[in-house]
Amino acid sequence: MQNSIYANGLPRSPANHVPLTPLHFLDRSAEQYPDRVAVIHGQFIQTWHETRLRCRRLASALVRRGVLPGDTVSILAPNTPAMLEAHFGVPLSGAVLNSINCRLDPDGVRFTLMHGECKVLLVDREFSDLVAQAVEGVPIKPLIVDINDLEAPPGNPIGALDYEALLAEGDPGFPGVWPVDEWDAIALNYTSGTTSDPKGVVPSHRGTYLMSMLQLTDWGMPRHPTYLWTLPMFHANGWCFTWAITAAGGTHVCMRKVTARSIFDAIADHGVDHFCAAPIILASIASAPETDKRPLPRTVRIRTAGSPPPATVLKAVLALGFEVEHVYGITEASGTPVSCYINPQWSTLDKDEQSRLMARQGNRSAGLESLLVANPDTLDPVPFDGRTQGELLLRGNIIMKGYLKNEEATRSAFSGGWFHTGDVAVVHPDGYVQITDRAKDVIISGGENISSVEVEDILHRHPAVLIAAVVSQPDVKWGETPCAFIELKDGIAPPSEEEIITFCRERLARYKCPKRVVFCTLPRTGTGKIQKFKLREQAGSKSAITELAKA
């Protein structure tokens, strides 16, 4: 282009080049739809005009309290109006938003505060005791602000002031501290730590803007959606739906505690038409007692990700009238870069086959530039045969800047010019990608690779199984064999261990079948994912021993 006629005389200027950021969505919705409902929280209702004023007050108050561009402001809260406001108010102060997982223990919260060098901490009163323990070991303590949410349980105040008092210090006409460079950090999100410290994922204003647009276009969301917050906002900023729903002039329906009954009630009472949920939430909807269910007054669309959803669960949720789309989400991409487009031709297939096809991850979304399933070392792509396994690799503008204070992990993650997800996948002849396992979850028994996902899919077909997780356990003869952990449905006669093993043997090769079955309540992360590292420790698997040795 150097000698092209388009190379000179066409410079960037403030008129034609503004740093991309999702923060602009707030102004647009407040200007275009000032009186439309922005937030519903129980009996509480707030318009877009009111929401913008509060976000500006928050940004202004933080600046007046000494927050500088690039400082970290953390929040520990469930899906509440304050959490949503923080997604605009904190970055509008020039600071970086760190949304903390509510399910962390004091040590986990302490690590996050110290590693991210938190300057101000907003905390919902439900978690006051947790934060009080966490900050005991923090040498430079942040300014703590209590959030007295209307629906929060009682809690002891521990802050220097409360959230409403902080907002009262702010100027509703504050213009905001906007990013000079769209590559600037907008948030700090921590991955789930297993036996070692979690990694701090740093997305940019540019990346989150593009992921927000991706969510709207890839899902085909209409103007003014009514979105239910079942997915935690602390999880990759709610896959950027905090900003995407705002861009669409939609309504955020907040929910502190997620149950099947509360979901059905929100759909009926508030006009909810979209939400995102982990497979465990879908399982709870499918198995909810009839007294908790309410007829769907409209089509309700769901995006689900986490572990691959059991085909049986998908089938049951579809039968209730929900429209479900499976996507692949990962914190390092700020949301869901891969989605399973539902081919209209599938409608001619039987329901079981439709559910099986819909349980795949699919293909790259329009906002992701490249996707590859390949040998992670040579980058040679796998054939489209649905059998040959490789690592899922991603490349595009929605990928994180890197891991905070961890150059080695960043270099490793970006090896060869691709982001290495750590997920093992195959590519089917139709080009659809399917995750077969996390690399660390593949079970190698007698030299044969066993996909824990395949075994879990069979277990989910048993009528008594609510959710199942399979990990490896040591075996003297074979090295390791599958061990199944099962959470059972309520109201159904519990099966025996032998019954479950026999059920698997009738449907799987014998070497793939669990040699041991444990009935329990499965440990979960704040986003509903099964914490397999805890199950590996309980099973005594080799991978757990290796992880402990590396910690």
Side-chain angles (χ1 to χ4, degrees), residues 304 308-319 322 324-326 340 342 346-347 349-361 434 457 461:
T304 186
T312 52
V313 171
L314 277 178
K315 181 182 177 182
V317 174
L318 291 169
F322 291 94
V324 185
E325 182 176 292
H326 186 209
C340 186
I342 300 174
W346 296 349
S347 61
L349 304 174
D350 63 60
K351 297 299 182 182
D352 287 338
E353 181 63 8
Q354 287 185 47
S355 299
R356 186 189 68 80
L357 293 172
M358 292 169 61
R360 300 179 298 176
Q361 279 64 35
Q434 183 170 10
D457 184 61
R461 299 180 191 180

Side-chain angles (χ1 to χ4, degrees), residues 330-371:
I330 190 165
T331 302
E332 287 86 345
S334 292
T336 57
V338 181
S339 61
C340 186
Y341 167 71
I342 300 174
N343 192 321
Q345 296 179 0
W346 296 349
S347 61
T348 61
L349 304 174
D350 63 60
K351 297 299 182 182
D352 287 338
E353 181 63 8
Q354 287 185 47
S355 299
R356 186 189 68 80
L357 293 172
M358 292 169 61
R360 300 179 298 176
Q361 279 64 35
N363 212 322
R364 66 183 178 93
S365 302
L368 179 69
E369 280 67 28
S370 298
L371 176 152

Side-chain angles (χ1 to χ4, degrees), residues 28 35 41 115 274 329 410 508-509:
R28 191 264 176 177
D35 299 323
H41 185 43
H115 187 260
H274 291 77
T410 301
L508 284 170

Side-chain angles (χ1 to χ4, degrees), residues 339-492:
S339 61
C340 186
Y341 167 71
I342 300 174
N343 192 321
Q345 296 179 0
W346 296 349
S347 61
T348 61
L349 304 174
D350 63 60
K351 297 299 182 182
D352 287 338
E353 181 63 8
Q354 287 185 47
S355 299
R356 186 189 68 80
L357 293 172
M358 292 169 61
R360 300 179 298 176
Q361 279 64 35
N363 212 322
R364 66 183 178 93
S365 302
L368 179 69
E369 280 67 28
S370 298
L371 176 152
L372 185 67
V373 177
N375 180 302
D377 298 319
T378 66
L379 301 183
D380 292 331
V382 302
F384 286 26
D385 59 8
R387 297 189 305 275
T388 306
Q389 296 183 337
E391 184 179 9
L392 179 62
L393 309 175
L394 308 176
R395 176 188 286 164
N397 291 288
I398 58 175
I399 303 299
M400 65 174 179
K401 289 164 66 73
Y403 297 115
L404 183 68
K405 301 178 182 177
N406 198 334
E407 294 181 10
E408 181 180 351
T410 301
R411 282 195 300 270
S412 177
F414 294 156
S415 175
W418 291 87
F419 169 60
H420 292 246
T421 66
D423 284 310
V424 178
V426 298
V427 185
H428 290 277
D430 60 2
Y432 279 63
V433 169
Q434 183 170 10
I435 303 295
T436 56
D437 235 327
R438 289 289 293 174
K440 60 188 175 184
D441 291 336
V442 174
I443 301 166
I444 304 175
S445 183
E448 297 285 347
N449 287 358
I450 302 172
S451 165
S452 65
V453 173
E454 180 185 7
V455 183
E456 289 162 359
D457 184 61
I458 294 299
L459 289 168
H460 285 122
R461 299 180 191 180
H462 192 284
V465 174
L466 175 64
I467 200 78
V470 174
V471 299
S472 66
Q473 67 176 9
D475 186 90
V476 175
K477 181 177 181 180
W478 303 109
E480 56 186 20
T481 55
C483 175
F485 291 82
I486 293 175
E487 188 170 325
L488 297 171
K489 295 178 182 176
D490 294 329
I492 297 179

Side-chain angles (χ1 to χ4, degrees), residues 216-272:
L216 295 178
T217 58
D218 191 60
W219 204 3
M221 295 192 77
R223 186 175 297 169
H224 309 311
T226 301
Y227 182 86
L228 180 63
W229 276 105
T230 52
L231 174 73
M233 292 188 206
F234 65 69
H235 181 52
N237 307 110
W239 292 349
C240 289
F241 279 105
T242 47
W243 298 304
I245 299 302
T246 302
T251 299
H252 298 268
V253 180
C254 295
M255 181 175 287
R256 287 189 69 97
K257 302 293 184 184
V258 179
T259 65
R261 181 168 188 169
S262 64
I263 291 173
F264 280 105
D265 286 347
I267 292 169
D269 298 341
H270 301 308
V272 166

Side-chain angles (χ1 to χ4, degrees), residues 527-543:
T527 58
K529 295 180 182 178
I530 305 302
Q531 293 176 307
K532 279 196 171 182
F533 74 94
K534 290 186 177 181
L535 302 180
R536 285 194 292 269
E537 290 176 10
Q538 187 174 338
S541 68
K542 292 180 180 178
S543 56

Side-chain angles (χ1 to χ4, degrees), residues 107-261:
D107 289 339
V109 174
R110 185 181 303 115
F111 171 83
T112 301
L113 296 176
M114 293 177 63
H115 187 260
E117 301 180 23
C118 173
K119 191 164 186 177
V120 178
L121 172 60
L122 313 176
V123 56
D124 186 276
R125 69 173 181 236
E126 180 179 353
F127 305 104
S128 296
D129 292 342
L130 170 64
V131 168
Q133 296 177 60
V135 298
E136 285 180 0
V138 177
I140 302 177
K141 293 180 173 52
L143 170 68
I144 298 177
V145 178
D146 296 310
I147 302 172
N148 293 306
D149 181 64
L150 295 173
E151 296 201 345
N156 298 317
I158 61 170
L161 74 167
D162 73 7
Y163 183 69
E164 296 302 323
L166 177 67
L167 264 60
E169 296 178 1
D171 175 8
F174 181 66
V177 180
W178 296 87
V180 176
D181 186 339
E182 61 190 23
W183 186 242
D184 289 346
I186 190 173
L188 172 62
N189 301 313
Y190 283 85
T191 60
S192 300
T194 53
T195 57
S196 59
D197 291 330
K199 296 190 288 291
V201 174
V202 182
S204 66
H205 282 262
R206 173 185 175 83
T208 52
Y209 173 94
L210 293 170
M211 175 51 72
S212 300
M213 292 291 96
L214 181 158
Q215 296 293 23
L216 295 178
T217 58
D218 191 60
W219 204 3
M221 295 192 77
R223 186 175 297 169
H224 309 311
T226 301
Y227 182 86
L228 180 63
W229 276 105
T230 52
L231 174 73
M233 292 188 206
F234 65 69
H235 181 52
N237 307 110
W239 292 349
C240 289
F241 279 105
T242 47
W243 298 304
I245 299 302
T246 302
T251 299
H252 298 268
V253 180
C254 295
M255 181 175 287
R256 287 189 69 97
K257 302 293 184 184
V258 179
T259 65
R261 181 168 188 169

